[in-house]
Amino acid sequence: MPQGRWDAGAPDAAVFEPWLARWGLTPDGAPIVTQSSQLLPVRRGGEAAMLKAAMHDEETAGHALLAWWDGYGAVRLLEAEGDAVLLERASGERSLSAMARDGRDDEAMRILCDAAARLHVPRPAPPPASLVPLARWFRELEPGTERHGGVLGKALAVSRALLADQKEVRPVHGDIHHDNVLDAGARGWLAIDPKGVIGDRGYDYANMICNPGVEPSLDPARIERRVDLVAEASGLRRTRLLQWLLAYTGLSAAWTLGGDWIGDAGPALRIAEIAAGLLEA
């Protein structure tokens, strides 16, 4: 299942130079390039941090959301200017992906559900105005359905119904999965890399069912078990969670088929078929 957009490319060390000087940072590891940003492990005094230079608007909306969360359930935003941010570095040794692959899948899923629930706790301050409405987030699903048809048609119909009747609207992470919730030691498990979206909190629980890797898409029994576990842990109705799973995987496939994501649309399409089948059972 894709977890980011665009071709990652090679690191450009020059991107970090202005911020190293401005914020008094010392490099503390090799640069990391994702499909939407460049990152450099750094230290400021005795504090481990991560310097991040965003390459797309989607990432800067996520920075505003990190500031609003203010370290509750997510890494702290330490500095921000333009497209660059300095983040708390979660440097614990535990990994949810490793946990899932090591026979502890249920435990990893419960941690992800708890992480999402912490992010969804209402705050007294209004959310950032820059957050993207979930209905706009889904705008590529309709043209994708027109081009490719199949299960995308079912995903489109379900997404329209869900978006017209959103429940418990919150700022949502937009991309919660096993590698976006990290071990921060005494601070617990913290989310990174939010996409800056606002809408029905149920959306955040769909992606976690599809990860890590493509293995879940090959095992309908595992998908169903995860759906049951997540429904119980999140308090969502099972049917509604399945609807969000179908809508999300349809959108993911549409993004990939349309070239917005690098990867194979096959796993997303397979999980969409499984979700549609469980809804029809």
Side-chain angles (χ1 to χ4, degrees):
M1 184 72 62
Q3 296 171 358
R5 302 186 194 184
W6 312 284
D7 187 7
D12 179 6
V15 168
F16 305 114
E17 292 300 330
W19 312 107
L20 292 172
R22 187 168 306 180
W23 291 334
L25 309 174
T26 303
D28 191 38
I32 303 162
V33 181
T34 73
Q35 293 184 351
S36 56
S37 59
Q38 298 192 68
L39 302 102
L40 181 69
V42 296
R43 299 193 77 86
R44 182 164 66 173
E47 183 178 20
M50 187 69 75
L51 177 59
K52 177 180 177 180
M55 295 188 287
H56 298 281
D57 292 343
E58 178 182 289
E59 296 298 308
T60 55
H63 300 164
L65 187 50
L66 283 175
W68 187 74
W69 279 329
D70 195 23
Y72 185 80
V75 294
R76 292 189 180 98
L77 183 71
L78 305 174
E79 301 280 0
E81 186 174 340
D83 294 335
V85 291
L86 185 67
L87 305 169
E88 172 185 7
R89 192 189 336 160
S91 52
E93 296 182 356
R94 296 175 297 172
S95 160
L96 294 182
S97 287
M99 195 179 292
R101 293 186 172 110
D102 193 32
R104 301 163 63 193
D105 191 61
D106 288 4
E107 182 181 353
M109 293 302 299
R110 289 191 176 95
I111 290 170
L112 284 169
C113 289
D114 181 65
R118 292 182 71 197
L119 297 178
H120 298 158
V121 170
R123 270 65 165 177
S130 58
L131 298 184
V132 177
L134 200 53
R136 194 192 312 165
W137 198 242
F138 269 84
R139 65 182 180 269
E140 294 301 317
L141 183 51
E142 183 172 358
T145 300
E146 292 172 354
R147 288 192 298 268
H148 303 285
V151 73
L152 296 188
K154 296 179 180 180
L156 178 62
V158 163
S159 72
R160 284 174 170 168
L162 289 168
L163 293 169
D165 183 31
Q166 295 190 62
K167 313 289 187 185
E168 298 178 279
V169 171
R170 302 275 193 276
V172 295
H173 183 284
D175 193 24
I176 287 188
H177 56 73
H178 294 66
D179 295 320
N180 269 350
V181 175
L182 304 182
D183 176 16
R187 291 254 291 134
W189 294 93
L190 299 179
I192 62 168
D193 199 25
K195 300 308 177 190
V197 184
I198 188 167
D200 190 308
R201 74 178 182 95
Y203 176 79
D204 258 351
Y205 293 93
N207 191 21
M208 64 179 69
I209 294 171
C210 308
N211 287 283
V214 301
E215 296 93 334
S217 67
L218 307 178
D219 186 355
R222 187 180 186 190
I223 291 292
E224 187 167 10
R225 177 179 176 81
R226 284 181 163 195
V227 166
D228 291 341
L229 187 154
V230 171
E232 179 182 3
S234 66
L236 293 170
R237 289 188 300 107
R238 182 178 185 273
T239 297
R240 191 168 180 86
L241 178 59
L242 281 168
Q243 290 171 332
W244 276 118
L245 180 59
L246 174 55
Y248 166 75
T249 48
L251 178 62
S252 173
W255 275 335
T256 305
L257 291 167
D260 292 325
W261 274 4
I262 306 300
D264 176 13
L269 292 170
R270 175 63 178 142
I271 298 174
E273 293 283 5
I274 292 168
L278 290 171
L279 281 167
E280 294 165 1

